[in-house]
Amino acid sequence: MKITKPAQAGTMESNDIYVQLLPAEGEGIEIRLKSVVIKQFGKQIRKVALETLQNMGITECLCLLDDKGALDYTIAARIESAVKRSL
Amino acid sequence: MTVSTDLLFSREERAKFQEKLIKQWKLPLIVIKANMPGKHKYDPFSLYAVTIIAQEVLSIIPSVHVLRQHTAEGCIVFVVCPQESLSLKRKMLDIEENHSLGRIIDIDVLNEKGDLLSRRDFGYSIRSCYLCDRPAYQCSRNQTHPVEDIESHIHSRILDHVQSSLKYQITFALLAEVSAHPKFGLVTPFGSGIHKDMNIDTFIDSIMVISGEIAKANELIFHDWTSYFDALRAIGKVAEKKMFDSTNGINTHKGAIFTLLMVIGGWQLSRTLGMLTEKIQELAVSLIRDFEDIHRKSELTEGEMQYLASGNKGVRGLALSGFSPHLMDALEFYRMVDADINEKMVRTLLFLMSRLDDTTVIKRMGEGGLKWLKEQSKIILKKDIDFWVDFDYQCHQRNCSAGGSADMLSAVILLDLLEKKEREFL
């Protein structure tokens, strides 16, 4: 599935993550991450985000993430919300 | 929805609400909320911490609009403030760093454009873990400490603050009572029960003005029982007036003010649970005058009318007996319940509802209704919490609201604190 309609989820608060889903600029899933803990957890955040998108059947999108230290379940929940709002 | 998705949803809704407030007022916005992990977001500890910090914030900055929300995230206080946002943020950071409850609270400052100001922009490092020196996010992501350890540390820190003065002990006891849910017709954070004229904000407004007043009981010097009683009664009258002023004439705490003053009055002179009943009884002797004077009164209260009709002496009668056996039995029960504080309180309330001849119940439900309530409470008490929702619904249908039991619950919570503090000195 390709994302065609933009959608957002989350907030800019501590322990949360702001997710913006947009139509892909190139091919496949592109994730752009900004995070207060990018050095320690950047890789893990991308992994969770990618897995969540793939599990929901998304094959193409641009996913912008502004993370303020969200835990994995929050990241997954916010991405899920955004996908549902986009469809 | 699970507990966590409720929370995430509430947070998003709140972000929209905040945006709306800023568009409306075009001024900086301060948002005060608890910063506690764990599932029990709305509980006495978080409500107490937020309320105390909010009071502190409002004492140092001007405000044009203050409101509270009560949701899955807990109690959240919003303050619209006509002051420059950077200086506001500095003041809020000072509270977060230096107030004994500051670490447990988040005070967000948004400027008039809606941007969230970050502590990092002010040279403050990110917050460190409650239990060790690592950055907080590291321990929370790695789940370094069990949630129970963090919760227990936070509760401990809050209780240190609570136990530091009688005013705070009373504040905690009253806030705890109103935060309990479900409450079978009484006011909770999520609904007004059967009451159309008040809600939890009415209660919190009242609590913040009466607690300090009731605590003045501490300053009294005992000469004899009659003058001691009269002095306590005078404090009660002032507290009542302050209550009515803060609630625009709604009676939230008249019964609680009386009950707490009697318990505190008795406690000052006993300092042990063993002697408490006797001291309350001696103190209450002055109440007999009230019953003798009743025919001189032109306007009778509901309780006084019931006394004339059925001989039920209501809360005065309870005081005359030293609140015995209910207060001590309920305290023992409360301490024995092995569950989180909300469950302890709700079970203790059911315990009290099953035993008290509550005149506020008789007023609304009649003697037959009281009988039903006592029987049903006793049955529900033996069952697990799945049965509460249905009983709560039935109580609403029957216009039930056991105010006397709620007042007694506050007294139990307060007595628990008073006695624990006393034991620290032994």
Side-chain angles (χ1 to χ4, degrees), chain B residues 404-418:
Chain B
S405 298
D407 296 339
M408 197 67 88
L409 175 63
S410 312
V412 166
I413 298 167
L414 177 63
L415 190 53
D416 178 58
L417 292 168
L418 289 171

Side-chain angles (χ1 to χ4, degrees), chain B residues 138-334:
Chain B
Q138 214 172 75
C139 288
S140 80
R141 265 196 156 273
N142 293 324
Q143 307 244 284
T144 315
H145 315 281
V147 175
E148 301 78 39
D149 284 0
I150 304 182
E151 264 183 5
S152 142
H153 168 90
I154 290 175
H155 290 178
S156 217
R157 199 186 272 216
I158 293 175
L159 285 172
D160 282 346
H161 188 275
V162 172
Q163 295 287 45
S164 69
S165 81
L166 179 58
K167 172 177 155 184
Y168 291 141
Q169 289 168 319
I170 295 165
T171 305
F172 185 85
L174 292 172
L175 285 176
E177 185 277 313
V178 76
S179 79
H181 53 278
K183 259 199 334 271
F184 321 112
L186 293 156
V187 172
T188 73
F190 312 112
S192 302
I194 59 146
H195 300 276
K196 302 202 181 2
D197 57 353
M198 54 190 186
N199 60 24
I200 187 164
D201 289 318
T202 328
F203 272 74
I204 297 175
D205 290 339
S206 167
I207 291 167
M208 297 322 280
V209 300
I210 65 176
S211 299
E213 208 51 51
I214 299 171
K216 289 181 182 167
N218 238 358
E219 296 159 23
L220 298 178
I221 298 171
F222 182 86
H223 299 292
D224 60 81
W225 285 111
T226 310
S227 64
Y228 188 58
F229 176 88
D230 288 341
L232 286 167
R233 174 159 267 178
I235 290 176
K237 289 258 175 289
V238 175
E240 243 178 62
K241 169 145 201 321
K242 289 194 169 174
M243 171 191 83
F244 281 123
D245 286 345
S246 75
T247 65
N248 273 329
I250 308 292
N251 174 15
T252 48
H253 288 107
K254 240 180 106 160
I257 292 170
F258 173 81
T259 305
L260 293 189
L261 281 168
M262 293 302 290
V263 170
I264 292 167
W267 178 257
Q268 295 296 83
L269 297 162
S270 61
R271 295 288 181 181
T272 64
L273 293 177
M275 295 290 289
L276 180 63
T277 303
E278 189 188 303
K279 294 301 167 193
I280 297 178
Q281 285 169 342
E282 286 188 84
L283 176 60
V285 163
S286 298
L287 286 167
I288 297 177
R289 292 177 306 187
D290 286 5
F291 293 104
E292 289 165 357
D293 289 345
I294 217 169
H295 35 269
R296 281 189 221 132
K297 283 189 75 172
S298 48
E299 267 179 58
L300 294 172
T301 64
E302 172 67 30
E304 285 160 350
M305 286 193 278
Q306 286 187 28
Y307 167 67
L308 289 175
S310 67
N312 182 342
K313 291 194 177 135
V315 73
R316 287 189 185 87
L318 281 173
L320 280 166
S321 70
F323 298 106
S324 170
H326 308 298
L327 180 60
M328 301 299 284
D329 285 352
L331 176 64
E332 192 185 321
F333 181 83
Y334 176 76

